[in-house]
Amino acid sequence: MAYYNSSSAFKGASSPAVTLGVEEVWNRCISYFEQVLDPKAVDTWFRPIKPVKLEGKTLTIRVPTLYFYEFLERNYSRVFSHILTEILGEEAKLGYEALVDSTSKDISKGGIKVVSQDIKGASLAYEASKPLPNVIHKSHLINNYTFDTFVTSDSNNVPKSFAQNICEHPGNPMINPFYVFGAPGVGKTHLINAIGHQLIRNNPSIRVLYVSTDTFVQQFTSAACNHKTADFTKFYRQVDVLLIDDIQSLVGKTKTQEAFFQIFNHLYMLGKQLVITCDKPPVELLGLEERLISRIAGSCIAHIDRPDENLRRTILDMKMEKEGIVLRNEVKEFIVKNVTSNLRELDGALTSLMLHSIVQKRDIDLKFAREIISRSVKMDVREITFDYILSLVCDMLGVTTDELRGKSRKQEIVIARQLIMYLAKTYTDESFATIGVLLGGRTHSTIVHGCNTIKEQMTVNSTIKQYVNKLEEQLGI
């Protein structure tokens, strides 16, 4: 066959299929996968496979789990179809056996399940042989990722400003290409989808395409398997705006990088808008071709920082309103101050909290929130300082810092002062004298008296005891 004649790795493959054994067929499959797929994909998804039998033109393979089978069918069915057709002929079939009980070594007891006896062709997201209007029937944008739902704060204000400028002037050399980087879950995908939606709103005839780099890689691999890389490249060259997400997934994929560079360069030379996201700045993109890094490094580069406290609070309020959830203020503030990594974690923390509350039939108090969220989120360990204690007491008792540092002898003010004295002396390194200065110039003996008063009251006054317990919870003690 023509394919084998073009590759020394498959010399002799055109010999009659009946002379081949199951191991030989599988070894030829592996050799082919190694040529067209990323080495990591081969190691992860193909080396764990065990060839079971070859009956006529049907190769049966065994995979570790049902999920493994489903992933192969969804992502690599065309790869299998191409190579097995080349080896076994037009009527080649692929049978799967999935290990449904990893603890069972006795197949007769249901450890193995036959899940498929055919090869399914997975369609690509493009059909380059058709005219463009029929090719890009949709932009593949995520529906609710618009500027209307993109909450702005100091952490993302600059990238959003650039993004909005692109919507007014797509292809402007000053902001083309536009490269946005930041940690996972900070809103990069949301922002570039918002660009796409706004561009289409401004000009319905503009050809916008959003694609994740993982999808781009899968499409290229499938095109390569079917000798249609020219069609693949032609398809991407026809867009007006290309929004490509998570470019770091190209690292190590030399052939796909080459295809991407050609598409990137073509669109750039035509003044088409390119928007790229990544989890790191260009200088840290090791494993990409130097010329591609050079192109990216010449982009307009913007960083989306981790969400600041105001953004986290706003997002949490929005999610609570959307879901009809009401949380106590101290619980909400605990989430805002401790789930700081990214917005996905914030969403996950709220969801987890609600589900556990329903299942366990427990009220969501601060103790319960700490217990549940700490299981799934690496919470920030906040340093206990005098100022932090001061702010917690002010919030809980509804007093101001001026009142605490002033001369008022109102009972609630005196109690608040003494709570601060006790907690600051117990949980910080501040001396009695320093605490006195920080509380408005009070004497050493006043601070000692305040600390002793709280210690005594905790044994006889349930309200004071409750205050201390709640404040210690908020301090993470």
Side-chain angles (χ1 to χ4, degrees), residues 49-90:
I49 294 172
K50 303 295 182 186
V52 176
K53 58 186 175 182
L54 178 63
E55 296 179 333
K57 294 187 177 184
T58 299
L59 172 68
T60 300
I61 59 175
R62 182 170 300 155
V63 295
T65 64
L66 284 171
Y67 170 78
F68 205 99
Y69 149 71
E70 291 167 355
F71 186 90
L72 290 174
E73 280 286 272
R74 187 168 62 249
N75 295 284
Y76 294 111
S77 57
R78 274 188 179 270
V79 181
F80 273 118
S81 178
H82 179 80
I83 185 57
L84 287 180
T85 299
E86 291 286 350
I87 297 174
L88 301 175
E90 291 298 329

Side-chain angles (χ1 to χ4, degrees), residues 70-121:
E70 291 167 355
F71 186 90
L72 290 174
E73 280 286 272
R74 187 168 62 249
N75 295 284
Y76 294 111
S77 57
R78 274 188 179 270
V79 181
F80 273 118
S81 178
H82 179 80
I83 185 57
L84 287 180
T85 299
E86 291 286 350
I87 297 174
L88 301 175
E90 291 298 329
E91 297 179 3
K93 292 185 178 182
L94 179 65
Y96 287 93
E97 290 182 357
L99 190 63
V100 295
D101 180 5
S102 60
T103 64
S104 175
K105 297 182 180 179
D106 185 352
I107 296 177
S108 66
K109 293 183 178 180
I112 300 295
K113 179 180 181 181
V114 177
V115 289
S116 175
Q117 282 290 346
D118 203 353
I119 299 174
K120 299 178 181 178

Side-chain angles (χ1 to χ4, degrees), residues 13-214:
S14 57
S15 57
V18 293
T19 65
L20 302 178
V22 62
E23 293 290 343
E24 185 175 355
V25 170
W26 184 244
N27 287 337
R28 290 184 181 183
C29 289
I30 289 292
S31 295
Y32 174 70
F33 299 149
E34 288 174 338
Q35 290 189 42
V36 300
L37 299 177
D38 177 75
K40 185 177 180 181
V42 176
D43 290 340
T44 302
W45 296 107
F46 295 95
R47 296 201 188 283
I49 294 172
K50 303 295 182 186
V52 176
K53 58 186 175 182
L54 178 63
E55 296 179 333
K57 294 187 177 184
T58 299
L59 172 68
T60 300
I61 59 175
R62 182 170 300 155
V63 295
T65 64
L66 284 171
Y67 170 78
F68 205 99
Y69 149 71
E70 291 167 355
F71 186 90
L72 290 174
E73 280 286 272
R74 187 168 62 249
N75 295 284
Y76 294 111
S77 57
R78 274 188 179 270
V79 181
F80 273 118
S81 178
H82 179 80
I83 185 57
L84 287 180
T85 299
E86 291 286 350
I87 297 174
L88 301 175
E90 291 298 329
E91 297 179 3
K93 292 185 178 182
L94 179 65
Y96 287 93
E97 290 182 357
L99 190 63
V100 295
D101 180 5
S102 60
T103 64
S104 175
K105 297 182 180 179
D106 185 352
I107 296 177
S108 66
K109 293 183 178 180
I112 300 295
K113 179 180 181 181
V114 177
V115 289
S116 175
Q117 282 290 346
D118 203 353
I119 299 174
K120 299 178 181 178
S123 61
L124 295 175
Y126 68 94
E127 298 175 51
S129 61
K130 295 183 179 181
L132 187 63
N134 294 326
V135 175
I136 305 177
H137 55 278
K138 62 179 180 178
S139 61
H140 298 283
L141 293 168
I142 301 172
N143 288 336
N144 61 332
Y145 280 8
T146 66
F147 283 120
D148 293 336
T149 57
F150 188 85
V151 182
T152 307
S153 74
D154 290 341
S155 63
N156 59 23
N157 186 50
V158 171
K160 183 183 178 183
S161 296
F162 283 131
Q164 290 175 319
N165 190 288
I166 287 171
C167 295
E168 297 299 321
H169 309 285
N172 178 355
M174 298 295 291
I175 320 179
N176 188 35
F178 180 44
Y179 182 94
V180 185
F181 74 96
V186 296
K188 303 185 300 294
T189 299
H190 192 148
L191 184 62
I192 69 169
N193 274 269
I195 292 173
H197 284 297
Q198 189 61 46
L199 284 168
I200 292 173
R201 186 180 299 174
N202 294 347
N203 179 8
S205 65
I206 196 169
R207 294 168 297 191
V208 174
L209 181 64
Y210 165 78
V211 62
S212 71
T213 301
D214 282 338

Side-chain angles (χ1 to χ4, degrees), residues 346-406:
L346 191 69
D347 191 21
L350 181 61
T351 301
S352 181
L353 198 55
M354 295 309 302
L355 289 175
H356 279 87
S357 172
I358 293 169
V359 172
Q360 298 183 36
K361 297 180 180 179
R362 286 182 58 180
D363 185 35
I364 301 178
D365 55 18
L366 191 58
K367 182 179 180 181
F368 183 67
R370 185 188 301 278
E371 175 188 333
I372 298 303
I373 293 175
S374 63
R375 296 175 185 172
S376 57
V377 175
K378 184 179 180 181
M379 297 186 299
D380 278 4
V381 179
R382 181 162 184 169
E383 182 184 1
I384 300 176
T385 64
F386 178 87
D387 287 339
Y388 187 35
I389 292 171
L390 181 69
S391 67
L392 291 180
V393 173
C394 287
D395 288 344
M396 189 176 76
L397 297 184
V399 298
T400 68
T401 55
D402 288 341
E403 288 174 326
L404 289 171
R405 289 179 171 133

